[in-house]
Amino acid sequence: MTVILGQMFTGVSIGAVLLLIALGLSLTFGQMNVINMAHGEFIMAGAYTTYVLQKSIAGAGLSLIVALPVAFLVSGALGALLEWLLIRRLYLRPLDTLLVTWGVSLMLQQLARDIFGAPNVQTRAPDVLTGNITVIGGDDPLTFASSRLFILGLAVAAVVALSLTLRLTPLGRRIRAVVQNRDLAEVSGISTGRVDRTAFFIGSGLAGIAGVALTLVGPIGPTMGTNVIIDAFLVIVVGGIGQLKGSVIVAFVLGVLQSVLEYSTTVSVAKVLVLVAIVAFLQWRPQGLYTVRTRSLV
Amino acid sequence: MTTTTPHAPSVKQLQSPKGRLTFLRPAAGFAAAAVALFAVAPLALSDFRLGLLAKYLCTAMVAVGICLAWGRGGLLTLGQGVFFGLGGYAMAMHLKIADAGPGQVPDFMQLYGTATELPWWWRPFANPVFALAATVLLPMAVAAILGSFVFRRRVKGAYFAILSQALAAAFAIWLVGQQATTGGTNGLTDIQGFFGYDLDDPVNQRMVYFVIAAVLLLLIALARQLIHSRYGELLVAVRDSEERVRFLGYDPANVKLVAYVVAAGMAGLAGALFVPAVGIISPALIGIVPSIELVIGAAVGGRASLVGAVLGAIAVAWARTALSEEFPAAWTYFQGLLFIVALAFLPGGLASLVGIVRRRRASRAPEGEAA
């Protein structure tokens, strides 16, 4: 019994990581139709920010808390810069944004290699987050890693914050207006260019937060972005583009599926089976789990 | 999602009004390419350089397929590495079995000590005819299955690109995981013979080069034929306005499927010929990163132009060797910049420069006459 619960928890925690890395993308890809392959490198930027802060600030706990807002700002600034330099020229050519930002991601990876060296580096987790929390004691104990619980909490907080921002704030209303009808938003006096850049800032900033979270579960290295970016895109595509709700559900379902398959087969076979499941799912719902109903033919 | 593709020439532009001899131009270009590949290159280059050229030409074969699927059909496939790998592994498996000799298992299997006989799915590849057919038919079959699923349900654009990329990731991860039967991360290495010929012999290496050059020319001719056929027109039409083509009574899914499957077959053939030229096939050659790199060449040269895509692929592969040996860091920056400049500022690639210059000159010419 505890084995099953333990696997479920592993799945949920994989899902939380997936959700965190996909959340920023659901804003930039989903809302703005920009395929940002450099999103993985923004995650990497967040992770390296944590690493640098830990080197300069003594306590692991304090540096982690400071890292969250700083990583948000660093990655967000990178995103806004990218939007201003390149992406705003490419809004009508989504497939080209994919390749252009891939070029950016190559350069950022090399930059990280030149600054921090090619080998992976590691951060120290704060003492609070190193142990396990016993949920069921006794002969057959069930324990959860506290760092994983922290990531789960972070993911939930990020989703709540993003959806509240989109739903309640004036900025959120403007973003939704631009997504729904760019021309009409423009003639209503909304500066669509500025909204785009702000949305990109937030989406990329969320990548920075994901980067901080990833330092708790794995090493930090120049290629860490490439390793997670595909998973993040799959979450968005299966969830339905621009649908926060879909991303949340799909992240956790894929996480649990991955964990169950890994338990019964191997890591590599599990990856392949998850992909097969995704292709099969898209047969059933080609536009993802949740779709915006439109009258357009496409 | 609209994909504006401002590059492929329309039908009108293809029928050049100047002179009746324009139909000779492709033939002349083809002849020039043949002379360059079969006479100039073997005489001018050392054995080592010729071997490198053979490798680049394999990349160019993949680019021919990418030109067809992406440049003409608008299908950005970031998973060509999968088909390249399927072809490569099919060929390498046969060559490994042949190297090992009858009744023996390939060296890496002996090394891991587990296998005393071939796994069941290796056995058919002992037959050279089966293996050769598989290098092309296996990738085509995989593309046909995936494509018919995906295109029928109208998965397109970015969704298709990401799915094809995920496929490349999954395939590479699977290969790494199956260490005992695929050689894992190392891949299938140290291939000695090629259908009875010793690959260490420079003469035989030249032979492999000639085979590769001939196949490349053949594929270019085939692609040209396809592009200028009725089907080629339909493919561009689907790219530019899928719904209109549907209303005209065609099934766009089938049109896309043909381009995707042909491109997959070309990539498979390229992978198969890559193996004797380089002597190795491994997951590092076919994952996400190499799959995208295959696209770069075509993009930089000009995705919609056969000549552009092929020359671009060769030029980028050459630049990679030239720069990355000396300055590996500089090469990565350069590669990133190439991507950004080519796609953000010159979406038609270098091939479109010719057209831009020609149009400038044409628009300037009347003024000149008036003055």
Side-chain angles (χ1 to χ4, degrees):
Chain A
M1 184 58 202
T2 50
V3 175
I4 296 170
L5 282 175
Q7 280 300 311
M8 289 294 285
F9 177 70
T10 310
V12 168
S13 77
I14 296 176
V17 175
L18 274 180
L19 183 56
L20 263 180
I21 59 179
L23 198 60
L25 265 189
S26 86
L27 195 64
T28 53
F29 180 30
Q31 310 272 352
M32 301 163 69
N33 226 343
V34 169
I35 308 162
N36 181 16
M37 290 298 277
H39 192 81
E41 277 59 48
F42 294 165
I43 293 175
M44 174 191 80
Y48 273 117
T49 304
T50 319
Y51 171 70
V52 169
L53 282 174
Q54 197 168 83
K55 287 214 136 179
S56 44
I57 300 176
L62 182 65
S63 70
L64 186 72
I65 292 167
V66 176
L68 285 171
V70 175
F72 184 85
L73 290 177
V74 168
S75 298
L78 278 176
L81 187 70
L82 177 70
E83 202 276 346
W84 179 68
L85 278 176
L86 290 171
I87 288 174
R88 67 193 167 113
R89 298 165 210 278
L90 295 168
Y91 275 119
L92 288 175
R93 310 201 317 247
L95 280 182
D96 285 356
T97 61
L98 194 161
L99 292 168
V100 168
T101 51
W102 172 262
V104 174
S105 109
L106 280 179
M107 295 172 88
L108 287 177
Q109 277 178 34
Q110 189 58 41
L111 197 65
R113 224 170 272 140
D114 287 347
I115 297 174
F116 299 101
N120 289 340
V121 295
Q122 210 109 32
T123 57
R124 210 158 32 82
D127 296 338
V128 198
L129 298 181
T130 46
N132 289 320
I133 290 170
T134 311
V135 182
I136 305 173
D139 300 334
D140 193 13
L142 175 65
T143 56
F144 291 167
S146 43
S147 61
R148 296 268 175 185
L149 278 175
F150 175 75
I151 292 176
L152 186 58
L154 200 60
V156 171
V159 170
V160 170
L162 179 63
S163 73
L164 286 183
T165 308
L166 283 178
R167 218 173 282 174
L168 299 180
T169 64
L171 171 70
R173 272 198 296 279
R174 283 200 293 271
I175 292 178
R176 282 183 292 140
V178 172
V179 169
Q180 281 173 16
N181 194 330
R182 180 170 288 268
D183 294 336
L184 202 54
E186 181 82 50
V187 295
S188 311
I190 295 174
S191 163
T192 54
R194 194 186 297 163
V195 169
D196 285 341
R197 203 156 315 136
T198 319
F200 224 85
F201 177 81
I202 298 175
S204 308
L206 287 169
I209 302 267
V212 178
L214 283 184
T215 62
L216 293 171
V217 290
I220 305 161
T223 55
M224 65 185 291
T226 322
N227 298 336
V228 297
I229 188 77
I230 302 288
D231 289 339
F233 272 118
L234 288 180
V235 168
I236 310 284
V237 166
V238 176
I241 306 266
Q243 302 292 314
L244 219 53
K245 201 168 29 170
S247 306
V248 173
I249 295 173
V250 168
F252 286 117
V253 169
L254 283 187
V256 171
L257 189 66
Q258 174 89 28
S259 139
V260 169
L261 288 173
E262 267 176 30
Y263 186 70
S264 40
T265 60
T266 63
V267 178
S268 61
V269 174
K271 279 261 174 203
V272 178
L273 288 178
V274 167
L275 184 80
V276 171
I278 287 173
V279 174
F281 177 81
L282 289 178
Q283 288 303 297
W284 177 48
R285 292 189 84 101
Q287 306 295 319
L289 191 58
Y290 287 99
T291 48
V292 185
R293 291 190 178 280
T294 67
R295 283 162 181 258
S296 80
L297 281 165
V298 185
Chain B
M1 195 178 296
T2 48
T3 341
T4 45
T5 8
H7 4 281
S10 68
V11 188
K12 275 246 172 75
Q13 280 166 309
L14 287 174
Q15 298 163 338
S16 170
K18 284 183 235 155
R20 261 167 252 138
L21 290 177
T22 41
F23 68 93
L24 278 180
R25 263 181 44 204
F30 203 75
V35 169
L37 283 177
F38 284 98
V40 179
L43 289 176
L45 297 176
S46 67
D47 284 338
F48 174 69
R49 293 278 156 202
L50 201 66
L52 285 180
L53 182 60
K55 191 170 138 188
Y56 307 156
L57 295 184
C58 292
T59 322
M61 284 181 211
V62 186
V64 172
I66 288 174
C67 171
L68 206 63
W70 179 36
R72 294 281 155 171
L75 305 166
L76 174 52
T77 154
L78 300 177
Q80 289 305 89
V82 173
F83 308 123
F84 186 84
L86 284 172
Y89 270 92
M91 175 65 94
M93 280 158 74
H94 173 71
L95 297 183
K96 284 306 269 186
I97 295 171
D99 279 353
Q104 296 290 311
V105 295
D107 45 8
F108 74 92
M109 290 186 190
Q110 291 165 356
L111 193 69
Y112 298 129
T114 43
T116 47
E117 60 175 27
L118 288 174
W120 61 268
W121 55 276
W122 269 69
R123 270 183 222 143
F125 290 94
N127 180 339
V129 179
F130 176 88
L132 271 182
T135 59
V136 184
L137 296 182
L138 200 62
M140 288 175 96
V142 171
I145 293 170
L146 187 81
S148 60
F149 276 128
V150 164
F151 299 139
R152 292 239 177 283
R153 295 299 294 172
R154 304 190 191 177
V155 173
K156 56 181 142 188
Y159 300 78
F160 174 71
I162 289 162
L163 261 181
S164 68
Q165 192 169 37
L167 184 71
F171 185 51
I173 292 171
W174 181 80
L175 281 171
V176 171
Q178 309 299 308
Q179 178 111 6
T181 47
T182 63
T185 323
N186 296 332
L188 301 177
T189 57
D190 200 21
I191 284 154
Q192 316 264 328
F194 184 59
F195 297 100
Y197 293 94
D198 182 8
L199 283 174
D200 278 339
D201 188 345
V203 177
N204 292 338
Q205 272 297 340
R206 291 203 156 216
M207 177 192 74
V208 170
Y209 164 81
F210 283 122
V211 171
I212 289 174
V215 169
L216 176 63
L217 286 178
L218 207 70
L219 292 187
I220 293 176
L222 175 75
R224 209 193 112 76
Q225 223 38 51
L226 261 180
I227 284 173
H228 290 275
S229 69
R230 186 185 163 79
Y231 167 77
E233 306 275 314
L234 207 53
L235 186 63
V236 174
V238 168
R239 179 194 71 192
D240 290 343
S241 182
E242 188 169 336
E243 287 307 325
R244 286 193 206 175
V245 174
R246 199 188 309 281
F247 293 150
L248 287 172
Y250 296 99
D251 186 353
N254 287 339
V255 178
K256 291 187 194 177
L257 193 61
V258 170
Y260 187 51
V261 168
V262 170
M266 288 178 174
L269 201 52
L273 291 169
F274 183 88
V275 169
V278 181
I280 181 173
I281 185 87
S282 79
L285 293 163
I286 62 186
I288 300 178
V289 178
S291 289
I292 293 195
E293 281 175 354
L294 288 171
V295 171
I296 307 188
V300 169
R303 62 187 92 159
S305 144
L306 262 180
V307 179
V310 167
L311 290 183
I314 295 174
V316 169
W318 170 79
R320 182 197 182 82
T321 319
L323 280 170
S324 67
E325 283 165 2
E326 299 259 327
F327 330 90
W331 161 246
T332 316
Y333 289 121
F334 181 66
Q335 190 184 21
L337 260 183
L338 255 183
F339 245 104
I340 295 167
V341 172
L343 285 144
F345 302 103
L346 199 64
L350 292 175
S352 68
L353 272 181
V354 182
I356 292 170
V357 170
R358 201 178 285 164
R359 247 171 282 140
R360 283 254 167 91
R361 219 180 274 161
S363 64
R364 227 177 273 155
E367 293 168 31
E369 278 164 31

